[in-house]
Amino acid sequence: MSNVIAVVTVRAAQLAKTLGAEQSLEELRRELELVPRLGVLLGAHRQDGLEVRKTRIEATSDAPGLAVAYVYTPAPPPPTVAITSITPDDGVLE
């Protein structure tokens, strides 16, 4: 078991509910507890270890694909992840 704590902000949870993606977001939250550096790093590496990252949730028959932004903070212990933003993802690569 990982010692990372992952949470979803109130705003992200509200958006997930609106989009019918609560289950998908919960599955991602649990995955981030095990692999907190999932996805792509946004911005430069920082001395304090804080990372802003983005990842994607694939579309299912019940929910749209989502682009998900989150913050990973390794210190102070325990390491934490906060899912801060979700947006519908059209799947088009940039």
Side-chain angles (χ1 to χ4, degrees), residues 13-33:
Q14 289 171 338
L15 289 168
K17 185 174 184 176
T18 299
L19 296 169
E22 296 164 293
Q23 177 76 25
S24 298
L25 192 60
E26 175 57 22
E27 289 170 9
L28 176 62
R29 186 199 65 74
R30 286 191 305 248
E31 186 174 1
L32 288 170
E33 287 183 334

Side-chain angles (χ1 to χ4, degrees), residues 3 6 11 14 16-17 25-27 57 59 62 66 77 87 90:
N3 64 342
R11 181 68 179 139
Q14 289 171 338
K17 185 174 184 176
L25 192 60
E26 175 57 22
E27 289 170 9
I57 296 175
D62 298 328
L66 300 172
T87 55
D90 59 12

Side-chain angles (χ1 to χ4, degrees), residues 27-92:
E27 289 170 9
L28 176 62
R29 186 199 65 74
R30 286 191 305 248
E31 186 174 1
L32 288 170
E33 287 183 334
L34 301 173
V35 185
R37 289 185 167 113
L38 194 64
V40 178
L41 177 65
L42 301 176
H45 288 278
R46 294 172 38 133
Q47 290 287 67
D48 62 3
L50 183 136
E51 297 176 3
V52 177
R53 302 183 76 86
K54 74 174 183 174
T55 192
R56 188 169 185 281
I57 296 175
E58 296 295 327
T60 65
S61 59
D62 298 328
L66 300 172
V68 180
Y70 67 94
V71 178
Y72 169 70
T73 55
T80 58
V81 170
I83 297 172
T84 59
S85 175
I86 64 169
T87 55
D89 184 8
D90 59 12
V92 176

